[in-house]
Amino acid sequence: MALAGRLFFTHRWVQAAVMSLAAVCLAWSLWSLAPSAFTTLERSWYDAWLRERPPAESSPRLIVAVRDADSEQLLGSGPWDRAVIARLLSALQGAGAGTIGIDIPLHRPSPPSQGGAASDALLLEAVRSAGFVVYPEADSFFPESQSPPALLPQDGVQPAPAHMIATVDPDRVARRIPLFAEAGSRTVPAFALQLAATFWHVEPQDLVRKQDETLLRHARLPGGEEQTRRIPTDRLGALLVNFAGRGSVQAFQRISFTELWHYVEHESDEKVENRVKGNIVVLLTQPTAAIGHPSPFGIAIPAEVIQIHALDTILTGRWIHVSSSFLQVIIAVLLCLLLAWPVFNGPALKGTVFALGAVIVYVALVIVALAAAQWILPITIPVTAAAFVILSGILLEHAVSSRRVTLMEKDMLRIQQELVSVREALVCRENAVDALEEDLESTRLSVTSSADRQQELLRTTEEFRLQMADARQLEDIARRRVDELERELSAVRAAAISPLPLGDTELEQLRRDCEELGIRTGHRGILRMFRDVKKGAQSNVTVLITGEPGTGKELFARAVHRLSPRASKPFIAVNMAAISPELFESELFGHVRGSFTGALSDRKGYFELAHQGTIFLDEIGDLRLDHQS
């Protein structure tokens, strides 16, 4: 901890990094307690940009049929008879409409006052004839245990259900729509997404949900090109709507129901056919909703209108990109590091002015990124964290400076002490240098006086060099001779110890000889070794027997003795491990009376006892090396 504290107070880059991370964490924690205020501040730039920018043009492929005063006077001001909607669908089919969307929940039967079952049947027949028609699953989704009502057609062309949900942010403003919603065990796409997929002939299995985007694979565009359309979403799978115009339905190409009904009545209207042919036609047949969702434009917009704006966003590809949470944190940390360095590394006033200027530049960058690239950069957390960095830099400057002065004073005292030690060492070295200079001077005098002897030494050295060269030649000759003798000795040894094959008769004879000497074995290797022992026992050479404890070394030693010409003489076995190093000479070689303290009488050693016989030095490897030699 002391090392970390010293590192923090003495290194400004450490202070900048620590305060930047702390400021970002503090800002994130603070705004997590007020999500509504955070969303209001974070999206205020987006809302202001939508209101102040020039109205965006809608897609020419999108036609909206809306109710007006003339159509209500013609068809009624309340909910219309579904037989009327059926005739309109048939007329749009005849006019060549590419895809049709209606705001009527087909799973609800109409009341008798609006045509009842007969009108429902006509509408469903018109839906079947018109091809794919997108309708809303309004109000509530079917529970998992409940099957769809029998009102929907069970064979032929099925209408495409979709949801009309608009996501309301914590500040109670609707800016997004979820592209998918769960309905029991089913996943229902949004009304806007289903219309686009139907219009581009995208199969249901080609609608792919990913973490930050939704894919429409094999989309066949009106020009005949086939491609994959990518819809960017946030981490919850919602699309941020880029509203056309000022957010109302007036932003789209419209056709009144009066014109459509005129086309139905006269069965020919080239103007209507030219407008709807090959396009998406959305029929808003229901009376205008009294309640809608608050929008960035300050007006209430019904959910179905928000879905139409989302459909326009998908068709035109005018995406609004939102930074992920990870990218927001990275941007906030980088901004704080940029501000913390001048705040903690320079004059307080100058660093604060620079930090404020950097914040203003970042805000301008946020505005430019939104206006030029439709990219929403984070602003609330980075600016809040920057404010914490500036404030902490002002408040902590005095405390950090005091602590830094204290540490500097301690460092100065330590350096002074080291300086004193270095000076003392320098004095010692200077004295040593003076002594060396005196020695050098005396050496120079000695060299001068011995100049006459130098020539004689050189001649002697040259003679020695010649003698050494001759000696090295003789040494090389001797070494080569030694190598030759060693090779000859190795060959002799190899020839002497090379095993010879044993016949069965010889093996039997060797086995009996072994039994006579107390060695019972039938192993060929042991019998071959015994044969070598018999040969070696006839000479007076020293025999070395090696092997692990308990393998019968003493038996073979006794066999060597009994097979040798010394068999009638004593056999002395000595356990070398039991002999004390102090009594080594006395035990082996004996002593006379008075030779050392405690020698009260003469004693014969083991070697004298084994005279003309055999002495067996058991475990000689346990002796000290000097005793072994």
Side-chain angles (χ1 to χ4, degrees):
M1 292 298 294
L3 180 60
R6 172 179 289 274
L7 188 66
F8 176 78
F9 287 107
T10 56
H11 294 78
R12 296 183 183 274
W13 63 269
V14 177
Q15 298 173 12
V18 171
M19 295 308 300
S20 298
L21 294 175
V24 173
C25 294
L26 181 61
W28 193 280
S29 303
L30 177 65
W31 286 113
S32 64
L33 301 176
S36 178
F38 172 76
T39 305
T40 301
L41 292 175
E42 191 72 9
R43 292 291 180 260
S44 60
W45 303 90
Y46 169 69
D47 297 346
W49 173 70
L50 287 179
R51 292 191 298 268
E52 299 300 328
R53 70 172 183 178
E57 296 183 358
S58 61
S59 171
R61 293 292 182 177
L62 178 58
I63 309 296
V64 182
V66 296
R67 296 170 62 128
D68 56 9
D70 294 338
S71 58
E72 290 186 350
Q73 183 178 2
L74 177 65
L75 302 175
S77 58
W80 293 338
D81 192 323
R82 292 190 176 181
V84 174
I85 308 302
R87 295 186 66 184
L88 293 175
L89 287 177
S90 300
L92 290 173
Q93 178 193 8
T99 303
I100 302 173
I102 58 175
D103 59 352
I104 299 175
L106 298 182
H107 61 275
R108 290 184 185 174
S110 59
S113 59
Q114 298 174 14
S119 295
D120 291 338
L122 291 174
L123 178 58
L124 295 177
E125 181 62 30
V127 167
R128 184 181 293 109
S129 300
F132 282 108
V133 174
V134 180
Y135 74 96
E137 279 194 3
D139 297 339
S140 63
F141 294 134
F142 302 125
E144 187 174 356
S145 60
Q146 180 181 347
S147 60
L151 180 63
L152 297 180
Q154 300 301 315
D155 55 357
V157 179
Q158 298 287 331
H163 71 77
M164 284 285 190
I165 299 175
T167 300
V168 179
D169 291 331
D171 59 349
R172 312 304 301 170
V173 177
R175 303 180 181 89
R176 299 173 295 140
I177 65 164
L179 292 185
F180 294 92
E182 304 299 328
S185 61
R186 296 181 299 139
T187 300
V188 180
F191 187 76
L193 179 62
Q194 186 62 67
L195 276 171
T198 304
F199 181 63
W200 288 330
H201 306 284
V202 178
E203 299 296 333
Q205 65 271 16
D206 289 329
L207 283 176
V208 181
R209 301 170 61 181
K210 291 193 174 183
Q211 183 177 2
D212 54 357
E213 64 180 359
T214 295
L215 304 182
L216 284 78
R217 294 177 175 172
H218 308 297
R220 293 193 293 273
L221 304 184
E225 180 184 1
E226 182 175 307
Q227 62 178 226
T228 297
R229 298 300 295 264
R230 299 177 180 271
I231 304 176
T233 60
D234 58 15
R235 59 186 180 85
L236 300 177
L239 168 67
L240 186 61
V241 180
N242 190 349
F243 290 89
R246 297 303 176 188
S248 66
V249 75
Q250 307 299 325
F252 305 103
Q253 298 185 60
R254 299 179 306 281
I255 185 171
S256 68
F257 284 100
T258 304
E259 295 179 77
L260 291 178
W261 191 254
H262 178 77
Y263 178 79
V264 171
E265 292 292 333
H266 296 83
E267 297 181 356
S268 176
D269 191 334
E270 184 178 353
K271 181 179 179 181
V272 172
E273 290 181 357
N274 291 336
R275 294 181 63 183
V276 304
K277 186 175 182 179
N279 295 328
I280 301 176
V281 180
V282 181
L283 303 179
L284 299 180
T285 64
Q286 303 300 312
T288 304
I291 300 177
H293 298 293
S295 69
F297 300 94
I299 59 175
I301 301 178
E304 57 269 20
V305 177
I306 297 178
Q307 290 282 341
I308 296 175
H309 281 278
L311 172 61
D312 179 72
T313 303
I314 295 174
L315 294 177
T316 57
R318 293 195 297 263
W319 314 120
I320 303 295
H321 300 275
V322 182
S323 303
S324 63
S325 300
F326 176 76
L327 183 59
Q328 293 179 18
V329 172
I330 294 299
I331 292 176
V333 171
L334 292 178
L335 178 62
C336 290
L337 287 175
L338 177 64
L339 303 183
W341 179 250
V343 168
F344 288 93
N345 197 41
L349 180 59
K350 185 177 180 180
T352 303
V353 171
F354 176 83
L356 293 176
V359 172
I360 295 174
V361 171
Y362 177 74
V363 173
L365 178 63
V366 171
I367 298 174
V368 171
L370 180 59
Q374 284 75 52
W375 194 285
I376 300 179
L377 295 177
I379 189 169
T380 306
I381 290 180
V383 172
T384 305
F388 286 151
V389 169
I390 297 173
L391 184 61
S392 63
I394 296 174
L395 296 179
L396 295 180
E397 178 63 25
H398 178 69
V400 172
S401 300
S402 301
R403 179 60 178 170
R404 188 184 300 116
V405 169
T406 303
L407 294 175
M408 290 177 63
E409 291 176 350
K410 292 182 179 179
D411 293 339
M412 289 178 61
L413 179 60
R414 177 178 56 79
I415 293 172
Q416 289 175 355
Q417 294 174 351
E418 293 179 356
L419 182 60
V420 172
S421 301
V422 171
R423 285 177 177 174
E424 293 177 353
L426 181 59
V427 171
C428 295
R429 290 190 177 91
E430 288 177 349
N431 294 333
V433 169
D434 293 339
L436 290 174
E437 288 179 350
E438 293 177 358
D439 294 341
L440 179 61
E441 185 65 25
S442 62
T443 303
R444 288 175 179 174
L445 293 176
S446 300
V447 170
T448 303
S449 63
S450 61
D452 296 336
R453 299 178 54 191
Q454 185 175 3
Q455 295 296 329
E456 183 179 356
L457 292 175
L458 291 175
R459 288 193 298 270
T460 305
T461 302
E462 184 63 25
E463 293 176 359
F464 285 161
R465 185 178 294 109
L466 294 176
Q467 293 177 5
M468 287 179 61
D470 296 338
R472 285 175 180 170
Q473 291 179 357
L474 296 176
E475 181 184 2
D476 292 339
I477 295 172
R479 184 176 290 110
R480 287 194 294 271
R481 180 58 181 167
V482 168
D483 293 339
E484 292 176 358
L485 292 176
E486 286 182 349
R487 286 194 294 272
E488 292 177 1
L489 179 59
S490 298
V492 171
R493 286 177 177 174
I497 65 174
S498 59
L500 296 175
L502 297 176
D504 294 339
T505 304
E506 186 179 0
L507 283 175
E508 182 62 24
Q509 181 62 40
L510 289 174
R511 187 183 63 78
R512 287 196 298 267
D513 293 344
C514 284
E515 289 182 355
E516 293 177 359
L517 297 176
I519 303 174
R520 297 181 179 275
T521 180
H523 192 275
R524 287 179 175 269
I526 301 296
L527 294 176
R528 186 182 295 110
M529 187 185 304
F530 180 74
R531 183 188 63 181
D532 296 337
V533 167
K534 289 179 64 177
K535 293 179 181 179
Q538 302 302 318
S539 66
N540 291 325
V541 297
T542 301
V543 179
L544 176 63
I545 304 175
T546 61
E548 299 292 332
T551 55
K553 297 189 293 296
E554 187 173 351
L555 284 176
F556 272 86
R558 291 184 181 274
V560 170
H561 174 70
R562 293 178 61 181
L563 294 172
S564 69
R566 304 176 300 278
S568 60
K569 302 298 180 179
F571 175 81
I572 304 298
V574 183
N575 185 3
M576 305 303 290
I579 296 179
S580 172
E582 293 78 10
L583 301 177
F584 170 74
E585 294 183 4
S586 176
E587 292 288 336
L588 291 183
F589 305 108
H591 63 265
V592 296
R593 178 181 177 182
S595 60
F596 57 87
T597 303
L600 301 179
S601 62
D602 295 343
R603 174 187 174 88
K604 291 184 178 182
Y606 290 123
F607 278 100
E608 187 176 357
L609 293 175
H611 181 60
Q612 293 185 350
T614 303
I615 183 170
F616 173 51
L617 304 179
D618 191 14
E619 301 296 342
I620 192 173
D622 292 340
L623 281 180
R624 290 177 0 193
L625 293 178
D626 54 343
H627 289 169
Q628 291 185 36
S629 64

